[in-house]
Amino acid sequence: MTEPTPAAAHDLGGEIPADRTLAFDGVGVELAGTRILSDVTLSLAERRIAVIGENGSGKSTFARLLGGLVAPTRGRVSIHGHDLVAGRKHVRRLVGSVFSNPDAQIIMPTVAEDVAFSLRRRGLGKAEIAERVDATLERYGLAERADAPAHSLSGGQKQLLALCAVLIAEPSVIVADEPTALLDGRNSRLISGLLLDELPQQVVLVTHDLELAARCDVAVRFEGGRLLEVDAPAGVIARYRQDLG
Ligand SMILES: Nc1ncnc2c1ncn2[C@@H]1O[C@H](COP(=O)(O)OP(=O)(O)OP(=O)(O)O)[C@@H](O)[C@H]1O
Ligand SMILES: [Mg+2]
């Protein structure tokens, strides 16, 4: 895969908001009668936020809350000053989500169509959409594959495509739930480098890769559906490693 040029990664912006606080106040989530998250209260304004914890601890549910994919059954969530529930339409534009499985994120038949799909209902003309899609694919090294079937890309390219589909919509925060879990070392470095070092957006990174978590500005640890701690990554990770044994 072609490496994106450093300049390219920097100018694909999204507005950088003055208030980048992610605030949770007494938040709980129940799904199908089961309590999945309880009493989550925290406020985060760091750019790179790691979310760690054991399997089933509630990380993905936390990520899905931020992405507007599950609703809080208790409490309030606000994203950059906008209430997640009351301001749902706006919040949906603020947040972009990527997941582990790049195949599951492909919506449209070709690479270019898949990226263009993110700009639907924005009131943009065809020519402008095409221009933005071309520019995004060019920046991230996928231009040559623009008309290829999206499913024909390699796993790493598909994850890059998923990220392009998020970035073209210019979110202020990117929620990435184990985005490198299925990638080889090189593509994992590419995607994590973009998320943690190159993009200007706030990033919430759910990961079992504790080296990636260590590169973040703050780490949040969940256990059994509850927030266990929020602190500088080194300490949170060290205590987590100890508990894992
Ligand atoms: N839709 C749902 N209905 C019922 N239970 C659910 C649902 N989604 C998640 N859960 C349960 O909630 C708990 C937390 O799940 P979640 O996916 O948030 O964990 P996780 O920390 O992301 O785990 P992993 O590291 O394995 O991805 C698990 O016990 C899971 O089985
Ligand atoms: Mg998960």
Side-chain angles (χ1 to χ4, degrees):
M1 165 189 328
T2 319
E3 299 281 340
T5 59
H10 283 294
D11 64 357
L12 201 106
E15 114 218 37
I16 305 305
D19 174 5
R20 61 173 184 203
T21 307
L22 308 176
F24 292 74
D25 182 11
V27 173
V29 174
E30 269 180 36
L31 291 172
T34 309
R35 194 177 270 209
I36 314 275
L37 279 183
S38 304
D39 296 331
V40 178
T41 298
L42 84 162
S43 180
L44 300 160
E46 288 82 357
R47 192 184 81 73
R48 300 171 298 185
I49 299 161
V51 179
I52 64 171
E54 295 176 31
N55 289 134
S57 56
K59 305 179 300 296
S60 291
T61 308
F62 179 76
R64 290 165 62 79
L65 257 178
L66 281 170
L69 303 170
V70 296
T73 31
R74 282 157 207 253
R76 283 171 54 107
V77 180
S78 81
I79 295 176
H80 302 170
H82 303 274
D83 186 88
L84 184 71
V85 176
R88 214 160 94 206
K89 224 172 156 188
H90 185 69
V91 167
R92 211 176 286 148
R93 290 200 175 180
L94 286 180
V95 185
S97 298
V98 288
F99 305 93
S100 305
N101 185 353
D103 278 301
Q105 301 173 75
I106 294 170
I107 297 168
M108 299 297 284
T110 71
V111 168
E113 286 165 347
D114 195 61
V115 175
F117 187 75
S118 302
L119 294 180
R120 75 197 182 284
R121 292 201 289 267
R122 294 264 169 136
L124 301 173
K126 257 189 170 174
E128 182 166 4
I129 291 177
E131 206 173 289
R132 288 202 199 181
V133 169
D134 287 351
T136 303
L137 294 178
E138 186 69 43
R139 283 179 178 125
Y140 291 96
L142 288 176
E144 281 173 24
R145 308 301 301 273
D147 298 318
H151 283 286
S152 72
L153 299 184
S154 74
Q157 287 172 327
K158 284 177 193 167
Q159 193 60 300
L160 200 52
L161 169 61
L163 203 50
C164 285
V166 160
L167 291 170
I168 198 167
E170 302 187 321
S172 309
V173 48
I174 298 169
V175 179
D177 189 352
E178 299 195 52
T180 59
L182 299 179
L183 303 184
D184 66 24
R186 184 165 175 270
N187 285 319
S188 175
R189 278 196 300 280
L190 174 66
I191 296 294
S192 59
L194 282 169
L195 289 172
L196 297 182
D197 302 327
E198 313 236 2
L199 293 171
Q201 281 94 348
Q202 190 173 32
V203 173
V204 177
L205 175 67
V206 177
T207 187
H208 289 289
D209 181 338
L210 299 178
E211 285 175 24
L212 283 190
R215 285 163 54 194
C216 290
D217 305 306
V218 67
V220 177
R221 179 179 166 194
F222 283 93
E223 191 174 76
R226 289 178 183 271
L227 181 65
L228 189 67
E229 63 171 327
V230 184
D231 209 340
V236 178
I237 290 167
R239 289 183 284 279
Y240 179 46
R241 282 193 204 276
Q242 210 162 34
D243 291 347
L244 285 175

